[in-house]
Amino acid sequence: MAPPPAFEPVIDQHDTWLAVNPVQGCPKGCTYCYLKDLGLTRAKPAVRATPEETLRQLLAHRYYHPELVLALYTCTDALATPATRAHLMALLDVLGASAVRNPVCLITKCAIPDEVLACITRNQDAGLPILVYLSYSGLGPDIERGIDHAALRANFPRLHAAAVPVIHYWRPALPQNSTPDVIEHVMDWAARYAACTVAVGTKVKPTALDQITELWPELADPHLDPQAADSVWPRTTWDWLHHLPDRYAGHPLFQTNSCALAYMLGRADRAGVFNTPTCLAANRCPAAQRDRCQRTVPGQHPVTETDVEGHLAKIGHPHLPYTLNPGTRTVVLGEPVPLRDRHNLAQVLAVTVRSPQDPGERYWPGRLSGGQPLIIDARP
């Protein structure tokens, strides 16, 4: 008998956004999915909170801040079933009718029917900022099991025609989708309709190494440490990104999701990416966005010890020892704290957070702990 599902909190903090998960469990069976080891793939979606309860939990939560981006339904695909679509539409209407004006992100691989598109546009018109991430990377039905890829591709022109902002989510990068012909089949289509692409490689959380090595046997090499990397890339994909064909020169392409969100929302970087090697060499950022960061980042409101102590207390860590370097906006915590708390502190105060690693952490710390991309050569 399969173990019971391990549900995530309804309100949770990820590295670039606040996750809102009132429904959990996905009927699809993507073999790389980070929900797989939680027992939440090939599963009937379970309602953990009604739309009204979700709003109440969000506003009362210690992580909530009106500037944070909300990512809805990261523990399912809300477009996968009639019941989840109905829940999604009700939640968007509840958010649209409330005072919440946090930007809202919806991530999907499934077809977006007319009634959901109408719900998105009416709540946009009501003042709720909504971005749609279309997760499309050129993998086939042998890996993305249950996904209608023709319907996924059809989402791009439909959303574009309806003036719904689209971010192309190109992930994961695996050997199976790393050849130039597969990459360019994806990018030729996405670049026509999406405002930008986010390419994040493959993330390997501590509990999922065996799951990923079934798809990518090279990662089982004992000399490698894919879990410590910010992301893992096939050499062919990495090289393609760094020698981008001229026909994509006008299409923004980011390896940091925080930068894509800043670009889409007309904001400057708050995640400590500006002027780093990732900013300068990896992200293909429009000149106007770089100018926005150049003008805005150096003039950010100074962070103080009062700010740090107040927010640490809010998220449940009063009296936690730390040091603050105001010039670099770096907070070094003296004790391990959950990764989600570190992410929230970083996002709300626009600081870089360092701390000892919690040995029980289930998620990838990546760039937050100084992780770098890991590039894997193909076997001879």
Side-chain angles (χ1 to χ4, degrees):
M1 177 180 291
F7 292 115
E8 299 282 78
V10 171
I11 308 299
D12 202 4
Q13 180 70 63
H14 292 183
D15 61 349
T16 53
W17 44 37
L18 202 58
V20 180
N21 284 310
V23 179
Q24 300 186 33
C26 182
K28 308 300 182 181
C30 299
T31 54
Y32 56 78
C33 183
Y34 86 100
L35 300 175
K36 187 174 180 179
D37 70 323
L38 302 177
L40 293 173
T41 59
R42 293 191 178 277
K44 181 180 179 180
V47 176
R48 308 294 290 168
T50 67
E52 294 77 13
E53 290 167 344
T54 302
L55 177 61
R56 286 195 293 272
Q57 289 190 40
L58 173 68
L59 294 176
H61 203 278
R62 67 189 186 279
Y63 289 158
Y64 179 73
H65 187 279
E67 293 297 316
L68 296 187
V69 175
L70 310 180
L72 306 186
Y73 303 93
T74 68
C75 289
T76 188
D77 190 314
L79 281 297
T81 72
T84 53
R85 291 193 292 271
H87 196 286
L88 165 65
M89 290 187 287
L91 179 57
L92 289 177
D93 284 339
V94 165
L95 290 171
S98 76
V100 168
R101 286 299 175 263
N102 298 69
V104 169
C105 295
L106 179 65
I107 308 162
T108 188
K109 293 185 183 73
C110 297
I112 300 177
D114 290 343
E115 63 269 22
V116 174
L117 183 54
C119 179
I120 291 171
T121 55
R122 72 171 170 264
N123 283 292
Q124 280 184 316
D125 292 344
L128 184 68
I130 301 175
L131 309 174
V132 177
Y133 280 69
L134 293 178
S135 184
Y136 175 45
S137 61
L139 294 167
D142 56 327
I143 293 176
E144 292 185 335
R145 295 169 183 168
I147 302 300
D148 181 341
H149 290 91
L152 170 55
R153 282 173 63 89
N155 284 335
F156 283 89
R158 289 187 69 244
L159 292 172
H160 183 265
V164 174
V166 173
I167 296 176
H168 169 220
Y169 219 3
W170 183 21
R171 53 137 198 194
L174 298 170
Q176 294 87 338
N177 64 345
S178 68
T179 60
D181 59 331
V182 173
I183 293 171
E184 292 177 15
H185 178 71
V186 169
M187 288 299 301
D188 284 349
W189 187 252
R192 290 176 62 184
Y193 303 108
C196 65
T197 289
V198 176
V200 294
T202 294
K203 306 284 188 178
V204 184
K205 67 178 182 178
T207 56
L209 183 59
D210 290 344
Q211 175 186 342
I212 294 299
T213 55
E214 288 181 15
L215 290 167
W216 197 345
E218 289 88 341
L219 298 190
D221 184 333
H223 297 97
L224 299 176
D225 189 3
Q227 292 150 307
D230 170 60
S231 53
V232 186
W233 298 85
R235 172 68 64 184
T236 47
T237 307
W238 185 257
D239 288 347
W240 186 93
L241 282 169
H242 287 77
H243 300 89
L244 198 69
D246 289 344
R247 68 178 179 274
Y248 307 115
H251 181 70
L253 196 153
F254 301 94
Q255 290 185 31
T256 45
N257 188 39
S258 62
C259 292
L261 287 168
Y263 167 62
M264 295 293 289
L265 297 170
R267 299 176 175 180
D269 170 52
R270 287 173 51 87
V273 178
F274 180 64
N275 264 349
T276 65
T278 298
C279 169
L280 299 173
N283 287 340
R284 304 286 180 157
C285 192
Q289 181 64 20
R290 290 193 182 276
D291 181 65
R292 177 181 287 119
C293 291
Q294 184 72 53
R295 288 183 287 104
T296 306
V297 171
Q300 290 180 98
H301 189 276
V303 62
T304 67
E305 291 185 350
T306 299
D307 297 327
V308 176
E309 290 164 11
H311 199 71
L312 283 172
K314 180 184 177 186
I315 61 177
H317 300 286
H319 315 302
L320 183 75
Y322 73 92
T323 58
L324 168 66
N325 183 325
T328 62
R329 302 185 71 91
T330 300
V331 178
V332 180
L333 304 179
E335 300 173 2
V337 300
L339 190 57
R340 49 177 49 96
D341 291 352
R342 292 160 59 191
H343 286 320
N344 188 257
L345 178 67
Q347 286 183 41
V348 171
L349 298 185
V351 294
T352 298
V353 179
R354 304 283 186 232
S355 85
Q357 182 68 20
D358 184 342
E361 186 59 61
R362 294 190 299 119
Y363 292 101
W364 47 86
R367 195 172 278 109
L368 185 68
S369 62
Q372 298 298 312
L374 174 62
I375 316 305
I376 306 295
D377 291 307
R379 286 178 173 173

